[in-house]
Each structure stands twice: as structure tokens, then as C-alpha cells.
Amino acid sequence: MILMEKGATKEQIKDVVDEIKKHGLRADVLQGDFLTIIGLIGDERKISFSNLALMPGVKEVIAVEIPYKLISRDYSKQFIAKEKSRIVKVGDVLIGGDEPVIMAGPCAVESKEQIFRIAKEVKAAGAKILRGGIYKPRSSVHSFQGLGSRGEAEAREALQWLRAAGHQYGMPVMTEVRGEAQTELVAEYVDIMQIGARNMYDQDLLSRVGKTGKPVLLKRHFGASVEEFLSFSEYIIAEGNKDVILCERGIVPVGKGNSYTRYILDLGAVPVIKNETYLPIIVDPSHAAGRRDLIFDLSCAAIAGGAHGLVIETHYNPKEAIVDAKQMITPDELKDVIDASLRISRIVNDYRKKSS
Ligand code: PEP
Ligand code: MN
């Protein structure tokens, strides 16, 4: 991390960036009103820190000893206060501020009628972003893989429905990109590119999606530590795309016997992540629990714990859903979750402000 002098000129900043590039590294320039910080991206052994420190305009070269530097609080503290997160703007929706943002929709887009009806009903319940899977990651090759897996024409058609439904009801839309080859097609139609838990470790997919410049929702792998989760998110940031929203969605249960939930929702990760990075963090109680009767309680707990939002699978008739029927709630139930979330966040934010 290179801290420039307060009066450093544009030329001096450019010279430092050029010097970094000359050594085969990339530079992340954080420019504030008075201060500029330059982060190195790549293998740092290729460059001499002492030479950089001697360049005109350079105040200090500081080693950040963690695997996720560019999203770390250390690196960003001159620009974003410790108790604040980055605001990711998606259309008119602001993710990362005081008010939690609720994303909702079916697990999978199954038909035009289905996605339009769900869009209408989740909007009326107070949802701000419409979700719906078109390429579904499934454990069995024999189960429904999403309309996208039937071919490009079907994928395009489903993406058009999703976008049109979002447009009609005034919500930006989000869908999962399951593989690199789908990236550009999905980017044509959606506002948020979702990278699913199973693909959190796919650094090529992360970079490719990052390059589209679209906001990205990155879900935590169910076996990943928080450190790994944050480190992999940095592959997106390294592409110059800072609009990353993190999502905790449960980790694998431990011990013998039944855990009664699909995964273990790691709510401790929420305040930890807010402490470590400025990226907003939301929670997915649907995949974590795998049960609709737990969604209200887990959502309230997540918001009380400081989550910037929730993503909740919702369907007007959950039993009808081909995928994840057991964990879907109805739009009426979603409305209660949203009302409670907004009230809880106001209460806990007042306390947080008092103590900061
Ligand atoms: C999803 O959100 O549709 C999904 C498959 O979730 P995850 O990647 O967290 O399993
Ligand atoms: Mn699902």
C-alpha cells in the first residue's frame, strides 16, 4: 500500500502507477479529496518497496500483511469510516447503508407467468431486488438444472422474462452465473451477477464476472473460512470492480446426527466481516435453513446482527416450485420479514451510533 503525500501531483501518481505496471503488477488507485493511496495487485516479490518509497510524491510504503488487502479496513480507512460500509448502488437501490435491502424471488425462474406474478407480489411486500435462478447448480444431473441449461435461446428468453418482470415492477434483477461461458449473456440482462456458493473458489469465474463491471453478489462457500471468503472476493476487486456484495448462506454442519437445518447459518461472520472489510454483507436464510418455518427468526437475527440485507426465496405457492420448495415463503410471510427487519435495524442502528 503506497500512501502518497497530500500535495502529490497527478504526474507523480501516474509515475508510481507506471512503475508498478512496468514490473508486471496492477495498481488500485484510491483517490480521495486530499489523499491518494495506491494498492499493489499481484506478486509483490517482483518489485522493490524501498525503490517505490524513494519516488517523488510518495509518503510511505506500508506492507498490509493479509491476503485480502484491497478490501481491508487498513487499506480503506482514510476513505471509509470504520462503522460504515461501501454503498453499492444498483439502479435506485442502495446496498450497504443503514436500511436493509431485501432481495426476493423464486429459487428458479420456471415460466413467464411465474416470474411476473412473483415479481408483482414480492414488490408489494416491500422487496427491492428481484432474484431468480436461470442456471441452477444441482447435486443431481437428473434434476431440473434451470431453463438456461436447455440452450442459449431458452436462457435468453428466461433472462428476458426476468428483466421484463423487474422492469415492470420497478426492481433491479439478479441471477446466478454458474460458469464462465455464461458471463456475457447474463451481463446483458441483469443488474447483479450472483456467484453461487459452489463457485466461490473459481478464481477465473470471479475475474471474468468482475470484468463486466456489474455489481456482483458473492456467496460464501459452505466450507470456506471467513478469510478464504474475503480473499476470493478480492479477485473481483482486482479487476477494478468494487461493487461486490458478500452473502453469508450457511456452512456445513459438524458432528454426528441430524442438525435439523440444511446448513449452519454463521451469523458471527456478519459483524466479523464488517470489521474486516468495507464491503456490504447480506444474509441468505433460505439456503442456510432449508426450512420455511425458520426464515422469520433467522432473518430477524441476521438484521439484528448488522446484515445490510437479506435474500429470501419466495413463491406464491411454494409447493408448486420445482426447486427448493421446502424453504420458500409466501409474499405475505415475506412482508412480515421485511416489516420486522426495518424495525429491528432502526433499533440496533440507534445503539450502534451511540457507541461509535
Ligand atoms: C441460490 O441462491 O439460488 C443458490 C443456489 O444458493 P447457494 O449458491 O448459496 O447454494
Ligand atoms: Mn434455491
Side-chain angles (χ1 to χ4, degrees), residues 184-260:
E184 285 70 32
L185 177 63
V186 170
E188 247 184 77
Y189 292 97
V190 307
D191 305 290
I192 304 178
M193 313 275 283
Q194 175 177 332
I195 297 179
R198 285 152 197 82
N199 289 319
M200 186 209 86
Y201 290 110
D202 186 344
Q203 61 207 57
D204 295 330
L205 179 65
L206 268 52
S207 302
R208 177 94 167 248
V209 170
K211 279 196 182 81
T212 66
K214 293 245 163 167
V216 181
L217 179 98
L218 179 65
K219 298 187 97 177
R220 178 183 179 184
H221 188 277
F222 33 79
S225 66
V226 169
E227 188 175 82
E228 282 179 295
F229 185 26
L230 298 181
S231 301
F232 277 88
S233 75
E234 189 121 326
Y235 278 97
I236 304 166
I237 307 289
E239 297 302 331
N241 183 352
K242 294 202 172 76
D243 286 334
V244 176
I245 305 150
L246 301 170
C247 179
E248 160 60 34
R249 48 76 74 211
I251 51 178
V252 278
V254 292
K256 286 183 184 163
N258 201 337
S259 289
Y260 302 100

Side-chain angles (χ1 to χ4, degrees), residues 212-352:
T212 66
K214 293 245 163 167
V216 181
L217 179 98
L218 179 65
K219 298 187 97 177
R220 178 183 179 184
H221 188 277
F222 33 79
S225 66
V226 169
E227 188 175 82
E228 282 179 295
F229 185 26
L230 298 181
S231 301
F232 277 88
S233 75
E234 189 121 326
Y235 278 97
I236 304 166
I237 307 289
E239 297 302 331
N241 183 352
K242 294 202 172 76
D243 286 334
V244 176
I245 305 150
L246 301 170
C247 179
E248 160 60 34
R249 48 76 74 211
I251 51 178
V252 278
V254 292
K256 286 183 184 163
N258 201 337
S259 289
Y260 302 100
T261 53
R262 196 168 167 185
Y263 295 92
I264 305 291
L265 183 58
D266 181 10
L267 284 184
V270 172
V272 166
I273 285 172
K274 286 172 79 178
N275 207 31
E276 290 296 313
T277 163
Y278 59 79
L279 295 179
I281 165 91
I282 71 162
V283 167
D284 171 353
S286 305
H287 291 89
R291 293 169 50 165
R292 75 172 56 88
D293 61 324
L294 301 184
I295 303 302
F296 181 85
D297 291 339
L298 293 180
S299 298
C300 291
I303 296 299
H308 294 108
L310 301 166
V311 53
I312 300 180
E313 290 192 339
T314 312
H315 198 293
Y316 45 83
N317 182 10
K319 284 199 203 84
E320 213 180 82
I322 305 175
V323 193
D324 284 348
K326 281 198 205 136
Q327 67 200 33
M328 304 241 190
I329 59 170
T330 63
D332 277 349
E333 290 164 330
L334 180 70
K335 187 173 186 316
D336 283 347
V337 170
I338 297 178
D339 289 348
S341 297
L342 295 177
R343 289 169 66 180
I344 291 168
S345 81
R346 280 195 286 272
I347 296 170
V348 291
N349 285 341
D350 282 349
Y351 284 97
R352 288 203 180 95

